[in-house]
């Protein structure tokens, strides 16, 4: 059988069974895919946060330790439309509905034939490549998810991972008010138990790196609610 991957693509494989990981990793590599693996939900979330610009599809088991598949998917869906395929031994209709309602693009029940899985993966990756933008622009601010670079007025900005993630969420929702709770969940996760003002701290960091007195402000404070990214200042705080 010849490799049939239509394009070079990276798959995040989240599965806790070592034997199945080894088998799927081998098959996916044979098809030409780059594979990142995680054996529990927290590792999956950490990998996603670090490598999301590279990942074209998530192959996600439902029953995994630490964070289950649904929680991982909910977190990813707050900031990304990356294709997600759930795979699980469960075959109840209610579970399938729950997975699809929470953002899964497809669902396959174990045990499955590898050729069926590969065919579904090809469909989702082709579909995803037409939907996911690689560059976001607001005024003279650009964020390139492929290169993981941020520029303001053509000048490269050096951002930390958290600063980059926060800016990405704001740019994905340009012109919309994002509450502090929404930003906290999207960037730090629902299990974060640190200081509640961490969002304000990182917004200040972004302003220090991206805004100058002689340039229009982009990150607007909506008092009592949260923040909004827009080209013209109409909610300045």
């Amino acid at each position: 059988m010849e490799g049939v991957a239509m394009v070079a693509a990276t798959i995040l494989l989240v599965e806790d069974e070592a034997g199945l990981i080894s088998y799927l990793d081998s098959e996916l590599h044979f098809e030409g895919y780059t594979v990142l693996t995680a054996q529990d939900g927290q590792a999956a979330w950490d990998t996603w946060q670090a490598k999301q610009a590279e990942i074209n599809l998530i192959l996600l088991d439902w029953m995994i330790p630490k964070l289950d598949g649904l929680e991982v998917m909910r977190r990813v869906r707050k900031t990304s439309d990356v294709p997600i395929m759930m795979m699980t031994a469960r075959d109840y209709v209610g579970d399938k509905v729950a997975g699809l309602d929470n953002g899964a693009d497809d669902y396959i029940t174990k045990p499955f034939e590898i050729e069926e899985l590969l065919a579904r993966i090809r469909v989702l990756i082709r579909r995803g490549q037409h939907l996911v933008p690689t560059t976001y622009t607001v005024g003279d601010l650009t964020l390139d998810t492929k290169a993981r670079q941020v520029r303001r007025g053509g000048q490269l900005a050096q951002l930390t991972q958290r600063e980059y993630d926060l800016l990405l969420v704001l740019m994905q929702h340009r012109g919309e008010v994002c509450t502090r709770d929404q930003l906290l969940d999207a960037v730090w996760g629902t299990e974060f138990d640190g200081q509640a003002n961490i969002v304000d701290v990182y917004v200040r960091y972004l302003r220090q790196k991206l805004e100058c007195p002689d340039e229009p402000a982009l990150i607007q404070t909506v008092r009592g609610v949260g923040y909004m990214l827009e080209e013209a200042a109409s909610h300045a705080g």
Side-chain angles (χ1 to χ4, degrees):
M1 179 181 65
E2 298 181 355
V4 291
M6 299 299 292
V7 293
T10 297
I11 295 174
L12 172 57
L13 169 61
V14 186
E15 168 61 55
D16 63 337
E17 297 179 26
L20 186 54
I21 289 177
S22 178
Y23 172 67
L24 292 177
D25 184 54
S26 176
E27 291 289 334
L28 291 169
H29 272 109
F30 184 76
E31 295 294 314
Y33 298 110
T34 297
V35 183
L36 305 173
T37 61
Q39 290 187 268
D40 62 65
Q42 186 60 56
W45 175 240
D46 292 342
T47 302
W48 168 255
Q49 289 187 299
K51 302 284 189 178
Q52 59 184 279
E54 305 170 22
I55 296 171
N56 303 100
L57 179 139
I58 301 177
L59 189 56
L60 181 62
D61 189 33
W62 183 306
M63 298 300 293
I64 48 178
K66 298 186 179 180
L67 301 174
D68 65 24
L70 282 181
E71 176 60 22
V72 173
M73 182 163 58
R74 290 188 189 105
R75 292 187 182 192
V76 171
R77 278 292 174 255
K78 289 175 181 177
T79 60
S80 175
D81 293 322
V82 65
I84 299 177
M85 181 184 295
M86 296 289 291
M87 57 178 185
T88 177
R90 299 185 178 199
D91 58 0
Y92 299 111
V93 172
D95 290 337
K96 295 181 180 181
V97 171
L100 295 170
D101 281 349
N102 279 279
D105 296 279
D106 202 356
Y107 194 112
I108 192 165
T109 303
K110 302 175 188 174
F112 47 76
E113 295 292 334
I114 189 63
E115 292 300 337
E116 179 185 358
L117 176 67
L118 294 172
R120 292 187 181 201
I121 286 173
R122 290 193 293 271
V123 169
L124 290 181
I125 288 178
R126 284 197 299 267
R127 184 187 305 166
Q129 288 173 337
H130 292 292
L131 296 176
V132 181
T134 61
T135 302
Y136 296 88
T137 302
V138 178
D140 63 349
L141 177 67
T142 62
L143 185 153
D144 184 340
T145 61
K146 292 296 184 185
R148 295 189 69 79
Q149 290 184 344
V150 174
R151 294 179 183 273
R152 179 82 197 268
Q155 297 297 312
L156 186 65
Q158 299 295 333
L159 303 185
T160 66
Q161 182 66 52
R162 292 292 192 193
E163 292 164 354
Y164 176 91
D165 291 343
L166 178 58
L167 181 62
L168 176 59
V169 175
L170 290 169
M171 294 193 79
Q172 288 174 327
H173 297 85
R174 63 169 298 178
E176 303 175 17
V177 179
C178 297
T179 69
R180 287 174 174 82
D181 285 343
Q182 288 171 333
L183 293 171
L184 192 65
D185 288 350
V187 179
W188 283 268
T190 57
E191 305 299 319
F192 178 76
D193 58 1
Q195 295 296 316
N197 69 340
I198 192 70
V199 172
D200 303 310
V201 171
Y202 273 81
V203 166
R204 185 167 69 249
Y205 292 161
L206 282 176
R207 283 172 168 162
Q208 290 171 349
K209 292 185 176 182
L210 298 177
E211 299 184 354
C212 296
D214 58 345
E215 296 175 338
L218 294 177
I219 303 175
Q220 308 300 321
T221 300
V222 182
R223 295 193 181 280
V225 183
Y227 297 97
M228 176 168 59
L229 190 70
E230 60 180 358
E231 188 169 356
S234 60
H235 294 275

